[in-house]
Amino acid sequence: MRISRSQRQSPPAPLPGQCLILVGPEGRGKDLIVASARRRFRADASLDFPQRLATRNSGDNDEHACVSRAAFRDLERSGGLFASWSLGGHSFGLDGTAAVAVAEGRTVVFAATEEAAVDLARRGERVHVVEVAAGPDFVRSRAALATPLIERAALCAEGGAAAFLRRQVLQHGGDVAEAVRAFHALILETRTERLASQDPVPSVPVGGLRGALVRLGAPTRLRSGDPARLRC
């Protein structure tokens, strides 16, 4: 009996998109960590590092594009922003290109506030939160993680059904380079886990190829002292 290509192997289902969001107080190096990851993974089509819109002047920084407060309000009212948040008296957001990247199954990486992450989760987006902590922040974060992840997300969402996919704390103790390395390792681990979940299990009908069931093994998870969970 002749076996068609469709019988031999079913195509893997497309991976759902997700948001990988760095949160934490100002001055903890979040933008620097994201900028470094953008350079490191610029050729990775599974990742998207969107440019933020902001109502403050970016200077020589290309992490965000400056827009007027009036233009930002218009975008919010018209539903033209995928996410928006306020910080330090200024407004920040991501336009619809981030929504397109998520719809295409990519991981959208950016820095924002905890409130923005909760809002996205409450809207049904898949959200992986990484809290950047330094010094006393890390002690507080460890205590916060004693609350189960889903319960904590639901509380933040005021009783909504929102829950983060995952929440981790990344401590750098003042050494931002250490945090950069840990974040790169986390991205690699996340990508590997997503690819492993997509692996097809091709098979052939009984009687074909001596009735054997052919299986492809999933890639091994990247583990090197688990740097992505830096002392969490």
Side-chain angles (χ1 to χ4, degrees):
M1 179 180 67
R2 199 164 181 183
I3 302 171
S4 68
R5 183 182 297 274
S6 61
Q7 288 177 309
R8 285 198 297 266
Q9 178 172 331
S10 299
L15 289 171
Q18 66 177 21
C19 299
L20 177 54
I21 308 176
L22 268 71
V23 304
E26 288 190 85
R28 300 300 186 265
K30 298 186 299 295
D31 287 346
L32 189 153
I33 293 170
V34 171
S36 173
R38 177 187 286 110
R39 292 190 296 270
R40 168 69 174 78
F41 298 102
R42 64 167 55 123
D44 191 331
S46 71
L47 302 172
D48 185 72
F49 295 85
Q51 185 181 52
R52 294 177 302 182
L53 302 177
T55 57
R56 75 180 184 193
N57 193 338
S58 62
D60 295 329
N61 186 355
D62 62 357
E63 296 301 313
H64 59 259
C66 185
V67 298
S68 68
R69 293 181 184 273
F72 194 93
R73 285 194 299 270
D74 288 344
L75 281 170
E76 278 191 306
R77 290 170 184 163
S78 65
L81 295 178
F82 173 69
S84 63
W85 62 95
S86 297
L87 187 65
H90 293 279
S91 298
F92 299 84
L94 302 179
D95 64 18
T97 58
V100 172
V102 170
E104 293 175 345
R106 302 166 75 184
T107 297
V108 178
V109 185
F110 60 100
T113 61
E114 176 106 6
E115 291 74 20
V118 170
D119 183 58
L120 284 167
R122 188 164 47 193
R123 282 163 35 196
E125 300 295 344
R126 295 163 52 82
V127 178
H128 178 171
V129 169
V130 178
E131 180 177 353
V132 180
D137 296 337
F138 187 56
V139 176
R140 185 171 61 251
S141 298
R142 287 178 67 92
L145 285 177
T147 303
L149 185 60
I150 292 178
E151 290 182 26
R152 183 163 190 239
L155 287 173
C156 291
E158 299 178 355
F164 298 140
L165 287 175
R166 196 172 180 184
R167 184 187 181 103
Q168 294 172 283
V169 177
L170 194 162
Q171 183 203 19
H172 60 71
D175 182 1
V176 180
E178 181 182 11
V180 166
R181 289 191 294 270
F183 189 59
H184 288 184
L186 184 149
I187 289 177
L188 289 170
E189 179 185 36
T190 300
R191 182 179 61 181
T192 302
E193 289 174 347
R194 282 167 60 77
L195 289 174
S197 70
Q198 190 192 31
D199 270 2
V201 182
S203 61
V204 296
V206 175
L209 294 181
R210 299 179 184 174
L213 177 65
V214 181
R215 302 176 78 83
L216 293 180
T220 303
R221 295 179 62 188
L222 294 180
R223 294 282 185 182
S224 179
D226 208 8
R229 292 180 178 78
L230 196 59
R231 293 190 291 279
C232 293

